[in-house]
Amino acid sequence: MIHSVVTFSRVEDRMDAEFYHPARLEAEKKLSKHTKIISDFFQLHRELAVPTGRELINLVELEDVADFSIAHIKHIEAYKIGSAKKHFANDDVLISRLRSYLQQIVLVQSEDLRDENRNFCSTEFVVLRNRKKSIPSEFLFSYLQSDEVQAILKWSQEGSNHPRFSDSYLLELPIPSGSPIINKIQALVNSAYQKRTHAKQKYQEARQLLNEYLGIQEEEFAFKKTFSLPFSQVSDRFDPEYYQPLSLLDLPMFKDGIVPLGELTSICAGKTPAKQAYTDRGVRILKARNLTNQGIDWTESDRAYARPEVWGKATKTRVQEDDLLVLSAAHQAQYIGKEIDAVFDIPKEF
């Protein structure tokens, strides 16, 4: 049983046991040596707006952030949003206050997001804007990912079905300052972002090359909400997704026949362990959130490990080098298959 012993003088205005979890108290103790807090250098950008008109705007929601970057930017007409959103700009640091253990943290650096007036994000993001530039945003971005900060945020979330930490609590966290290591971290983060941008360009080149080979335009395969077809084409299924107008198999290049994928490779579905099978350490479990379309995200977050006996039973679902992992389930059909990653460079510890 996990328990904490705290003196009455340390009890704050909260009485939930999670807030006094040993991991949070220990992390808080480690950071207490720093005299500066985040609000000394960064401010909350709270501006809310309800976009209107038909101008295309950039929208980033929680689902669009993966592997500490913006994986997708939605370009949609402003009036279609219909609810209040927050403005954000390049050099801002965004962190989701909802379920912080998912580590949806991003440093905004994109040529597509230069116009702040057209950039909107979910209100679940805390938008941190650099006030003094004496601590670079790149350092805050890394600092928020640290084990100590993550432990503090995780165990300070207010208990509910949708746990969140408060904006003010985040601003009051201690932060290091005045060390030359800060500039070194800034340089490393910038280097990583440059390489990530280059990698995205190569992915897009590969995708375009494939489309040219197949002779297709991606918009041809857009998910259509309404369409019609003759009754004679209806088979023993009545779900509309099955009858989307254009199929890959309708392309001219397949007119001479096809080879079933099952003849070329083995296919199996993943398996989610029972809730009681999860543990702090053990067998590494890959979840849907670990697929990014840009390589497996091996970041460890909630439910990242299961008990060793899970490995013994999961002979068909063990991940190996050169496997392809495909998102096969989603709340909406158009997202199925959207995330696909090849497995390579599995970390040695896994």
Side-chain angles (χ1 to χ4, degrees), residues 73-92:
I73 302 174
K74 297 182 178 73
H75 305 289
I76 61 177
E77 292 177 292
Y79 78 94
K80 292 183 179 180
I81 294 183
S83 60
K85 302 294 180 183
K86 289 182 179 179
H87 275 296
F88 71 95
N90 271 333
D91 203 42
D92 286 347

Side-chain angles (χ1 to χ4, degrees), residues 184-203:
K184 292 181 180 180
I185 291 174
Q186 178 186 22
L188 287 171
V189 171
N190 282 330
S191 175
Y193 263 74
Q194 291 170 5
K195 291 177 179 178
R196 186 192 299 275
T197 299
H198 181 69
K200 286 183 177 180
Q201 291 172 349
K202 293 303 178 184
Y203 273 113

Side-chain angles (χ1 to χ4, degrees), residues 43-57:
Q43 65 183 10
L44 284 181
H45 191 62
R46 300 179 182 272
E47 182 182 350
L48 292 177
V50 179
T52 58
R54 293 187 174 275
E55 179 187 16
L56 287 179
I57 58 97

Side-chain angles (χ1 to χ4, degrees), residues 158-310:
E158 296 176 354
S160 71
N161 290 332
H162 302 284
R164 297 172 176 86
F165 60 78
S166 69
D167 299 357
S168 58
Y169 186 81
L170 177 67
L171 284 179
E172 293 171 2
L173 290 182
I175 187 171
S177 61
S179 170
I181 198 70
I182 292 176
N183 293 330
K184 292 181 180 180
I185 291 174
Q186 178 186 22
L188 287 171
V189 171
N190 282 330
S191 175
Y193 263 74
Q194 291 170 5
K195 291 177 179 178
R196 186 192 299 275
T197 299
H198 181 69
K200 286 183 177 180
Q201 291 172 349
K202 293 303 178 184
Y203 273 113
Q204 285 302 115
E205 290 176 18
R207 188 168 181 165
Q208 182 61 35
L209 186 62
L210 177 62
N211 287 344
E212 291 174 359
Y213 171 68
L214 295 175
I216 64 173
Q217 299 291 327
E218 289 197 6
E219 55 267 24
E220 293 177 337
F221 286 89
F223 192 89
K224 293 179 173 54
K225 294 183 178 179
T226 61
F227 53 89
S228 62
L229 76 162
F231 183 77
S232 60
Q233 294 184 22
V234 177
S235 61
D236 57 351
R237 289 180 58 170
F238 286 92
D239 49 312
E241 292 80 10
Y242 186 70
Y243 298 99
Q244 282 290 310
L246 185 61
S247 166
L248 187 68
L249 301 182
D250 295 329
L251 296 174
M253 65 177 298
F254 291 111
K255 67 181 186 300
D256 295 328
I258 60 174
V259 176
L261 191 60
E263 293 185 9
L264 305 177
T265 183
S266 59
I267 303 174
C268 62
K271 187 176 182 180
T272 300
K275 184 176 181 180
Q276 61 270 23
Y278 288 101
T279 183
D280 291 337
R281 303 298 297 181
V283 178
R284 182 70 165 91
I285 300 292
L286 290 179
K287 313 290 283 186
R289 62 174 176 260
N290 300 118
L291 273 62
T292 71
N293 273 342
Q294 300 170 28
I296 301 294
D297 175 13
W298 293 96
T299 303
E300 300 174 33
S301 55
D302 188 55
R303 298 191 178 186
Y305 293 94
R307 300 185 188 282
E309 55 265 28
V310 171

